[in-house]
Amino acid sequence: MNIEQELKDALKRQQPPPGMTERVMAAIGSRETPAARPSFWRTYRAGLQLAAAAVLIVAVGVGVARQREADRERQQSELAARQLMTALQIASEALNEARNEIKN
Amino acid sequence: MAKSLEVAPPRQGLDGFTHIVQEHQAMVFSLACHFLQNRAAAEDLTQEVFVGLFENLHTIQSPAHLKSWLRQVTSRRCIDIARKARLRRFLSLGDTPEPAQEIRLADPLISRRLQTLVATLPAKQRMAVVLRYQEDLDPSEIASALGIPLNSVKSILRRSIEFLRTKLTRQMSEVSQ
């Protein structure tokens, strides 16, 4: 027995019942055609544009806020550095005066 | 940009699509019928597949792509149905529906027993066997339709054939005794 040939015989194509084409076309006809159905973009265009604008505004706002924060921190760092240098300078001068007095 | 289907682009509407249905409905129906062993369910599935095709016609790039799309969607839909409904539980050897009477078979007894045995295979094995012997697809085409590796298909087919041969031989020897 050739099992593969037997399977080919057993699984021959079966024809659909008469009227299958009409049944399919009726089902399709009862639905909207793809052309008549509004696209996703057309349906949600306004909302998507609004959402995109909102995201852009928030992104720009966050960027600006971060930049300002970074600038403020940099300015504070520079001020602290200047103050430290001044303090070191004063301390150095005081030490020099004290050393001179000890020498004399 | 993808080239649109030359057979019947969507703008040609229902007339062009009717030809597509007429040309391919036997393949879709027969795959479903052999798999589900139920003509009414196969008709419903055929309708569903072609409605899906109509809605996705703009994605079809060639007649070959169309045929492959139909095989793939039909196979996967059949397997989904089998899993959801747990058809295997109901398709035991005893209560398998009789095959359609209009089929002309080389040996009705062997063919009927084979159809019954095929119906007992797990879903993916069953569809692989139907695609192999109804549509005469090679393993790589079956792998593409079912979305599984080529080696798995080869293994599935080998095991299925062995199972069917063993079971059929045993049944035929019981009948002859």
Side-chain angles (χ1 to χ4, degrees):
Chain A
M1 177 177 57
N2 182 343
I3 187 76
E4 300 211 27
Q5 187 53 52
E6 298 294 351
L7 273 167
K8 282 182 182 173
D9 290 335
L11 298 175
K12 274 181 183 164
R13 264 195 191 178
Q14 295 190 26
Q15 289 303 311
M20 190 72 230
T21 307
E22 290 73 17
R23 177 180 162 177
V24 169
M25 297 313 295
I28 288 168
S30 68
R31 291 169 172 247
E32 288 180 323
T33 63
R37 191 174 52 202
S39 67
F40 177 84
W41 170 245
R42 187 174 294 179
T43 305
Y44 299 106
R45 182 170 54 189
L48 288 171
Q49 286 174 336
L50 200 61
V55 167
L56 191 65
I57 288 168
V58 168
V60 168
V62 168
V64 167
R66 281 187 180 172
Q67 185 61 43
R68 283 184 180 171
E69 179 69 15
D71 288 347
R72 196 172 58 78
E73 283 177 3
R74 187 171 45 77
Q75 285 170 356
Q76 283 179 341
S77 301
E78 287 172 357
L79 180 62
R82 279 200 301 271
Q83 286 173 342
L84 179 64
M85 290 304 291
T86 305
L88 287 172
Q89 198 172 0
I90 292 169
S92 173
E93 285 171 3
L95 280 172
N96 283 338
E97 281 177 16
R99 190 171 58 188
N100 290 338
E101 282 180 13
I102 291 169
K103 279 183 181 175
N104 295 331
Chain B
M1 187 177 171
K3 190 181 168 188
S4 61
L5 178 64
E6 290 173 6
V7 177
R11 61 180 171 273
Q12 287 187 2
L14 296 179
D15 289 342
F17 195 75
T18 303
H19 293 295
I20 292 178
V21 176
Q22 286 170 340
E23 189 178 342
H24 297 289
Q25 62 181 352
M27 176 187 75
V28 172
F29 173 79
S30 190
L31 282 176
C33 205
H34 282 312
F35 184 90
L36 299 171
Q37 293 283 301
N38 182 320
R39 288 184 69 88
E43 287 175 30
D44 290 344
L45 190 139
T46 303
Q47 176 181 318
E48 188 184 318
V49 168
F50 279 107
V51 169
L53 173 65
F54 186 74
E55 289 172 349
N56 290 283
L57 204 54
H58 60 284
T59 66
I60 305 295
Q61 296 168 16
S62 67
H65 182 207
L66 168 67
K67 203 168 179 180
S68 152
W69 190 97
L70 286 170
R71 272 194 216 119
Q72 191 174 71
V73 171
T74 305
S75 302
R76 293 180 185 185
R77 188 76 192 98
C78 280
I79 291 170
D80 282 348
I81 288 173
R83 282 180 179 160
K84 284 177 187 166
R86 298 182 185 281
L87 278 180
R88 275 197 74 208
R89 196 172 56 191
F90 303 106
L91 289 171
S92 60
L93 293 178
D95 56 7
T96 301
E98 292 294 307
Q101 290 186 345
E102 66 264 30
I103 312 171
R104 296 292 177 263
L105 301 167
D107 184 331
L109 178 64
I110 292 178
S111 292
R112 187 170 299 180
R113 283 180 184 276
L114 266 178
Q115 287 169 348
T116 305
L117 286 170
V118 167
T120 66
L121 291 170
K124 274 193 179 171
Q125 289 188 29
R126 198 186 328 161
M127 185 47 84
V129 168
V130 174
L131 287 168
R132 178 76 185 92
Y133 295 103
Q134 180 195 299
E135 291 302 308
D136 204 22
L137 298 189
D138 60 39
S140 63
E141 291 171 307
I142 297 171
S144 170
L146 299 182
I148 56 178
L150 176 60
N151 284 338
S152 299
V153 172
K154 289 178 179 173
S155 166
I156 281 173
L157 287 173
R158 196 168 47 245
R159 278 188 280 119
S160 301
I161 296 298
E162 198 48 50
F163 168 82
L164 294 170
R165 180 186 284 118
T166 306
K167 288 278 185 185
L168 185 65
T169 306
R170 188 179 302 163
Q171 288 187 10
M172 296 310 286
S173 64
E174 285 171 4
V175 168
S176 63
Q177 283 173 359

